[in-house]
Amino acid sequence: MARLKKAEKIFIVRCLAQFMSISDVISDFKEKFNIDVSPQQVEYYDPTKAASADLSQEFIDLFNEARKEYINQPLHNIVGANDIVQLQILSDLLVSKKGNVVMSIKLIDQIQKIVKGHYEKKFEITGKDGGAIKTETEHSQRPAMYTPEQLAGMSAQELSRLAINGKL
C-alpha cells in the first residue's frame, strides 16, 4: 500500500466526489502520479462508504464541497450536453461504422431523435378567465412534395436526410 501525500489524497477525494468509479480513479491516479493504489485505499477516501469510518473531517468537507460544485455546475460546461456536439459525434461514428449495419441503424435512429427534438415546441395557454392550462404541441411540418427549385436550394445533407426519412 502506497503512502500518499496530501495532494494525492485530495486528487482521490475530488475524483470520487465527481462520481468516478474506483477503477477509473485508480487508472487516472496511476496516469497522473505514476503510483499504484489499491481499490481499498481509494475507497477509504469516499465518505459515502463504510471503509471511510475514520476519515478526517477535512477530507469529508472537501468531498461534500467538491460534489456540490460538480452537481451545481452549469449544463453548458458539459461538452456532450450540446445537441450540435452530439450530432457531430454521432455523424463521425456513423461514417466510421458504415460497414456495421446494426450500429449504423442505431446511430441514425439516435440522430433522428436529436434532430426531431429541434422541431417540437410546446406552448402553454391559459384557459378562459384564467382557467386550466392547456398544453399544445406544435410540429413544424415540411411540405410533402418538393418543387425542383426547393430541391435545388437544399444542401446535400438536407437531401440525404430526406432520403433517409423516406420523404424524397
Side-chain angles (χ1 to χ4, degrees), residues 112-150:
Q112 286 179 343
K113 286 178 183 176
I114 292 171
V115 171
K116 287 180 181 176
H118 286 296
Y119 297 116
E120 252 186 358
K121 297 177 184 169
K122 285 192 173 187
F123 295 97
E124 290 186 359
I125 304 167
T126 57
K128 186 176 179 182
D129 299 324
I133 296 175
K134 179 181 172 187
T135 304
E136 294 180 4
T137 303
E138 178 185 292
H139 298 278
S140 70
Q141 295 291 327
R142 293 190 173 140
M145 298 298 290
Y146 292 94
T147 64
E149 294 81 25
Q150 288 174 319

Side-chain angles (χ1 to χ4, degrees), residues 63-123:
F63 178 91
N64 292 330
E65 181 183 323
R67 177 152 292 176
K68 185 176 171 185
E69 285 176 17
Y70 182 74
I71 290 173
N72 293 331
Q73 71 178 326
L75 195 57
H76 67 269
N77 284 353
I78 301 170
V79 175
N82 186 326
D83 285 344
I84 300 301
V85 174
Q86 290 176 6
L87 288 170
Q88 183 61 50
I89 292 169
L90 290 170
S91 176
D92 293 344
L93 283 171
L94 182 61
V95 169
S96 68
K97 303 288 185 191
K98 207 185 298 185
N100 186 340
V101 176
V102 174
M103 181 62 75
S104 296
I105 290 170
K106 288 179 181 178
L107 289 169
I108 290 170
D109 184 48
Q110 184 63 34
I111 289 170
Q112 286 179 343
K113 286 178 183 176
I114 292 171
V115 171
K116 287 180 181 176
H118 286 296
Y119 297 116
E120 252 186 358
K121 297 177 184 169
K122 285 192 173 187
F123 295 97

Side-chain angles (χ1 to χ4, degrees), residues 7-18:
E8 297 164 344
K9 294 174 184 178
I10 289 172
F11 177 83
I12 292 173
V13 169
R14 288 192 159 280
C15 288
L16 291 169
Q18 294 177 2

